[in-house]
Amino acid sequence: MLTLEKNSLSEEIEELVSLYGENRGSLLEILGAIEKKYGYISEFAQQEVARLLNIHPVEVYSFISFFSFLHSKPQGRNMVRMCKTIACNMKGADNISAVIEKELGIKFGETTKNRRVTLEYTNCLGMCDCAPAMLVNGKIYTNLDVEKAIKIINELK
Amino acid sequence: MSTSAVNPKKRTGPVIFSEYNSGDGIKKAFSLKREDILFELKESKLKGRGGAGFPTSSKWMLTAAASSDKKFLICNADEGEPGTFKDRVLLQEYPELVFDGMVIGGYTIGAKYGIVYLRGEYEYIYESLQFYLQSMRKRNFLGNNILGSNFSFDIKIHLGAGAYVCGEETALIESLEGERGEPRNRPPYPVNTGYMGYPTVVNNVETLAAVPHIVCKSGKWFKKFGTDKSTGSKLFSVSGDCNKPGVYELPWGITIRELLNIVEAENTKAVQVGGASGICIPKSGFDRKLGYEDAATGGSVIVFNEKRNMLQVLKNFMEFFVEESCGQCTPCRIGNVKLLEGVEKIEKGNYTFSYINTLKELGNTMKVASKCGLGQSSPNSFISILENFKDEIFKSNGANNDRVG
Ligand SMILES: Cc1cc2nc3c(=O)[nH]c(=O)nc-3n(C[C@H](O)[C@H](O)[C@H](O)COP(=O)(O)O)c2cc1C
Ligand code: SF4
Ligand code: FES
């Protein structure tokens, strides 16, 4: 990372810390905000958060590793989270997932080479009455079939 | 009692979906003494809708009685139990019930701060909730000196980050404090030592949504519905093999068969009551009643028809628990992996019956030795599915059942 980028990231994190509070209780909100903007929380960002909250960087890392929606490695520009829990599974989610994998040439848990899409499985999204369901960049899509899912994925920039 | 089509205010039901005007519960509460509210709540016999079924009035009384300069009220909107989606419907279509319930709760227990812990998966409703809170502030239903009283209360929304176990109240509090979402030992209970060490009430979204109705219409009115041990109504989230999946408000005590008729389920073989943590009930149990005293559920009802392979259903549940266990205690961390392994061996016909019995014993050990509700309840589906569907499971997967896996 360039020094300039580092400086601006530091400033951003300082702003987040003053917004949410300079204490450990703000960790979820601060990390959530960084993840939302950058798609992950870099090592440098982790160190900055730790420094400003006066905790050890390992604790920040450990926190991140606990939550499936927080990442310490860069992700694709678009995050696709496919529900694989029972109600969606019963309505053919596994078949849709297989077709998506084929279309993108990657497996769930992976990111396309051009960083366009990351595929992740997730558990019940609370949309079981309109299964199958998936989240794309936080937006919910329901009553999926293969055609609909592929169209959504292929339209991602 | 309609399905999930977004059609706000078109739902009807005996309690939660009955007539209510935003703010009425708050106004009524302010005309009452705190003890009067606690009395009505006790009279209603309302129990927690988040799964554990603890009497709400006891929880509130304990926190009200605790002396502390700060107290908190947390609305648990982490809704992660597979097959549950009624809290989402409440937050999207009836935010006035949930938030008015929180204000009344804050007033009753003497808390100034309310927190909604909204699961990260529901981020797409975050903005509309913020908008609603803002409108409440404008009308002085939130903020300083609400409606000219000397009571001040405000609500913040925190987003979770994709961890089922954070729905467990002490794990939820841990994560709000910037720690990994690992459940705490109890006691102490949150009512005494909760968020940041202060007395804290944690209630499910639906529990809070019942409160304004009880305050406006009385505890006596509330308990007219349901049964003696399970008063009031319940929001059931129905999914799986039926023609009309969705959220239904029905009185507690309704039988599984009656519910199946309402949702137009045909050729039903089994019903999973209470989500992955719940139990799987076969046809012979369809006259059982939904309620705390019989088949309890936080709302999740998943229907399976004759064509479903129950071993695959069980495998899906066990994969869920292996992924969602926080790994803090051994019975749950290792136990769920062993149970999943068992399912995979049955799938391959690679088992003996003594091995299956050992696994069931392991399940029973997990129920008593696990630290939190996750590991205590994850063996439920394993045991009930293998027990209730043993013919189907062992006949179709019995190819090599003389070999030990
Ligand atoms: C693994 C696990 C997950 C839970 N998830 C939720 C949840 O998503 N929502 C909820 O209200 N309660 C959940 N609970 C129950 C809470 O610990 C707690 O009992 C409940 O929020 C109390 O509210 P109530 O008394 O209004 O039901 C969960 C419990 C466990 C063990
Ligand atoms: S029972 Fe499971 S989820 Fe609960 S504390 Fe133990 S390991 Fe964690
Ligand atoms: S099982 Fe997929 S949304 Fe509930």
Side-chain angles (χ1 to χ4, degrees), chain B residues 43 88 115 120 184 186 257 321 342 347 363:
Chain B
E43 184 75 7
R88 167 182 54 81
I115 298 172
R184 296 176 178 170
R186 305 185 307 170
R257 196 181 305 283
F321 288 119
E347 211 180 355

Side-chain angles (χ1 to χ4, degrees), chain B residues 377-394:
Chain B
S377 60
S378 65
N380 285 341
S381 41
F382 184 87
I383 293 172
S384 65
I385 290 181
L386 285 191
E387 199 50 50
N388 292 325
F389 301 95
K390 53 181 168 229
D391 286 351
E392 167 191 328
I393 289 172
F394 295 114

Side-chain angles (χ1 to χ4, degrees), chain B residues 169-397:
Chain B
E169 55 187 16
T170 61
L172 184 158
I173 291 171
E174 285 285 306
S175 76
L176 283 180
E177 293 179 357
E179 306 283 346
R180 291 162 66 90
E182 293 171 352
R184 296 176 178 170
N185 278 320
R186 305 185 307 170
Y189 293 93
V191 287
N192 295 312
T193 310
Y195 179 56
M196 300 295 180
Y198 295 105
T200 304
V201 160
V202 182
N203 272 137
N204 174 255
V205 173
E206 186 185 348
T207 313
L208 290 164
V211 167
H213 287 297
I214 293 171
V215 167
C216 288
K217 298 167 195 166
S218 88
K220 213 166 159 189
W221 167 82
F222 181 85
K223 71 176 176 194
K224 277 198 307 202
F225 305 97
T227 70
D228 185 39
K229 288 209 170 75
S230 311
T231 57
S233 68
K234 181 78 189 85
L235 300 189
F236 296 103
S237 320
V238 187
S239 63
D241 296 316
C242 61
N243 291 325
K244 290 185 169 173
V247 171
Y248 292 83
E249 184 190 3
L250 298 164
W252 276 124
I254 186 168
T255 67
I256 293 173
R257 196 181 305 283
E258 288 165 326
L259 181 59
L260 288 173
N261 281 333
I262 293 171
V263 302
E264 295 181 8
E266 287 153 20
N267 301 320
T268 308
K269 168 161 75 174
V271 177
Q272 180 79 16
V273 177
S277 314
I279 50 167
C280 194
I281 298 180
K283 257 190 191 146
S284 58
F286 286 180
D287 288 316
R288 288 181 64 177
K289 288 180 161 58
L290 295 164
Y292 298 102
E293 66 272 40
D294 189 357
T297 173
S300 173
V301 174
I302 309 169
V303 184
F304 305 106
N305 70 19
E306 294 291 353
K307 293 202 186 104
R308 298 293 168 189
N309 176 334
M310 297 313 289
L311 191 68
Q312 291 308 312
V313 170
L314 176 57
K315 189 173 169 190
N316 190 281
F317 289 153
M318 292 323 299
E319 285 170 350
F320 172 79
F321 288 119
V322 167
E323 286 158 14
E324 299 294 346
S325 164
C326 83
Q328 188 189 183
C329 68
T330 320
C332 171
R333 185 185 61 240
I334 312 274
N336 283 309
V337 172
K338 292 283 171 206
L339 297 186
L340 175 59
E341 247 172 54
V343 174
E344 287 164 350
K345 281 186 180 159
I346 298 171
E347 211 180 355
K348 295 193 189 104
N350 235 339
Y351 62 91
T352 63
F353 286 103
S354 68
Y355 170 64
I356 302 294
N357 284 335
T358 312
L359 289 179
K360 284 191 192 157
E361 275 165 36
L362 170 66
N364 284 320
T365 308
M366 289 164 66
K367 282 191 194 181
V368 292
S370 293
K371 185 166 172 180
C372 86
L374 191 151
Q376 288 160 7
S377 60
S378 65
N380 285 341
S381 41
F382 184 87
I383 293 172
S384 65
I385 290 181
L386 285 191
E387 199 50 50
N388 292 325
F389 301 95
K390 53 181 168 229
D391 286 351
E392 167 191 328
I393 289 172
F394 295 114
K395 265 184 203 146
S396 55
N397 299 286

